[in-house]
Amino acid sequence: MAGEGVSPLAQVNPIDKEAFKLGFIGAGNLASSVATGLVKQGILPASRIFTAHRNPESRVDFTSMGIKVFPKNHQVVEECDVIIFAVKPQILKEVILDLRPLLSQNKLLLSLAVGHKLQALQEWVGHGRFVRVIPTTTSIIGEAATVMHLGEAATENDGELIADLFGAVGKVWKMDEKLSDAAAAVGGAGTAFVYIAIEAMSDGGVAAGLPREIALSLAAQAFYGAAAMVMKTGKHPGQLKDQVASPGGTTIAGIHELEKGAFRASMMNAVVATTKRSHEMGQ
């Protein structure tokens, strides 16, 4: 059933996959990383991507690629067929309500914000042609972990279009929206947790006598290689860990220290706390 304030389902114009224009409402790091990834991967030319900022000249991360930066958000909406809301969750409702008169059902709308569920997004805009997408800044190198959920009036073609877009800058999972907060915690915020772990391992290398540049490179490569092993072999991380840690050896001595420091529990608690905060922000 459509939520209160949501227009009944109506015939919508399909998006032309070969010619559509993509607009970002919000020109911050997440929008920049997704746009950069799309251009670098050859998925969309810069000439078909737009955003807005009150000081367009300052957004060199967009303009340096040839992406047009308007001074006003409404110019982006008027120009584009697919609109991505990439603003902070705290101001998302205000931004959507301000642009609502221009956001017809013939435009495909996306939100990258954590917390806010499709029911609220659809009520704010007045129709259900909305898709929730939760990507990461690793889109910029084509390695994002992206979760997506389709709104009431989003068509199968809409879903395919968005899956193709974000699939070009990483991996995409379609899942029930009730899992979105947890998925964002693991796949989204989880990147920050990994950065901290890489930094900590690097600092440990420095403490043990390694030059900082070498320590950081080794730590980053260790995480990269370990992640690739999990993804490519399909083996459980515990099994792979056991293959490295020989009885009475150096690795198990280090693992013992991690266990004494509650490394696993801290990581689990971080995911649970992030999930809880995401849920709170959606209330």
Side-chain angles (χ1 to χ4, degrees):
M1 295 292 291
E4 182 181 351
V6 179
S7 299
L9 300 185
Q11 187 68 34
V12 297
N13 293 336
I15 302 297
D16 185 346
K17 294 184 178 181
E18 303 302 320
F20 75 91
K21 295 179 181 179
L22 179 66
F24 288 88
I25 303 300
N29 291 334
L30 188 54
S32 175
S33 65
V34 173
T36 300
L38 292 173
V39 173
K40 286 186 173 181
Q41 299 297 323
I43 305 306
L44 279 182
S47 60
R48 286 168 53 193
I49 302 177
F50 302 82
T51 189
H53 192 271
R54 60 182 177 275
N55 183 11
E57 295 78 13
S58 70
R59 304 310 297 156
V60 293
D61 46 347
F62 288 95
T63 58
S64 62
M65 292 188 294
I67 293 174
K68 174 70 175 179
V69 181
F70 290 113
K72 300 292 185 180
N73 284 336
H74 72 83
Q75 294 172 285
V76 177
V77 177
E78 291 168 347
E79 182 71 28
C80 297
D81 310 289
V82 180
I83 311 298
I84 298 180
F85 289 92
V87 299
K88 294 185 182 301
Q90 295 90 335
I91 65 170
L92 179 59
K93 180 178 181 179
E94 176 186 350
V95 171
I96 290 177
L97 292 179
D98 181 59
L99 295 171
R100 176 170 170 157
L102 302 174
L103 299 173
S104 77
Q105 202 161 345
N106 285 322
K107 294 184 184 292
L108 175 57
L109 310 179
L110 286 78
S111 169
L112 305 188
V114 298
H116 297 300
K117 302 299 189 289
L118 281 167
Q119 181 179 356
L121 297 172
Q122 293 171 158
E123 289 179 358
W124 297 342
V125 79
H127 63 77
R129 199 178 188 187
F130 226 125
V131 181
R132 277 192 72 201
V133 179
I134 307 172
T136 61
T137 54
T138 48
S139 299
I140 198 170
I141 59 168
E143 295 291 351
T146 300
V147 176
M148 63 179 288
H149 318 288
L150 299 183
E152 292 175 354
T155 66
E156 182 177 341
N157 286 338
D158 291 342
E160 291 176 357
L161 172 65
I162 301 309
D164 288 345
L165 276 181
F166 286 88
V169 293
K171 296 183 182 296
V172 177
W173 287 262
K174 297 180 182 178
M175 63 180 65
D176 192 304
E177 192 183 23
K178 68 183 180 182
L179 302 174
S180 64
D181 293 330
V186 176
T191 57
F193 306 158
V194 173
Y195 294 146
I196 291 173
I198 292 173
E199 181 184 31
M201 185 181 291
S202 173
D203 286 347
V206 173
L210 287 174
R212 181 163 294 281
E213 183 177 352
I214 293 176
L216 179 57
S217 296
L218 285 171
Q221 183 61 39
F223 273 81
Y224 186 86
M229 283 288 285
V230 173
M231 298 292 287
K232 293 181 179 181
T233 67
K235 292 182 178 180
H236 190 278
Q239 181 182 357
L240 294 170
K241 176 263 295 177
D242 288 347
Q243 292 174 356
V244 180
S246 57
T250 57
T251 302
I252 196 65
I255 291 173
H256 189 198
E257 291 301 315
L258 290 176
E259 296 292 0
K260 287 195 290 185
F263 178 80
R264 294 173 192 256
S266 294
M267 188 67 77
M268 292 171 66
N269 289 341
V271 172
V272 172
T274 303
T275 301
K276 180 180 178 182
R277 179 58 181 148
S278 178
H279 181 73
E280 291 171 350
M281 292 174 68
Q283 299 306 304

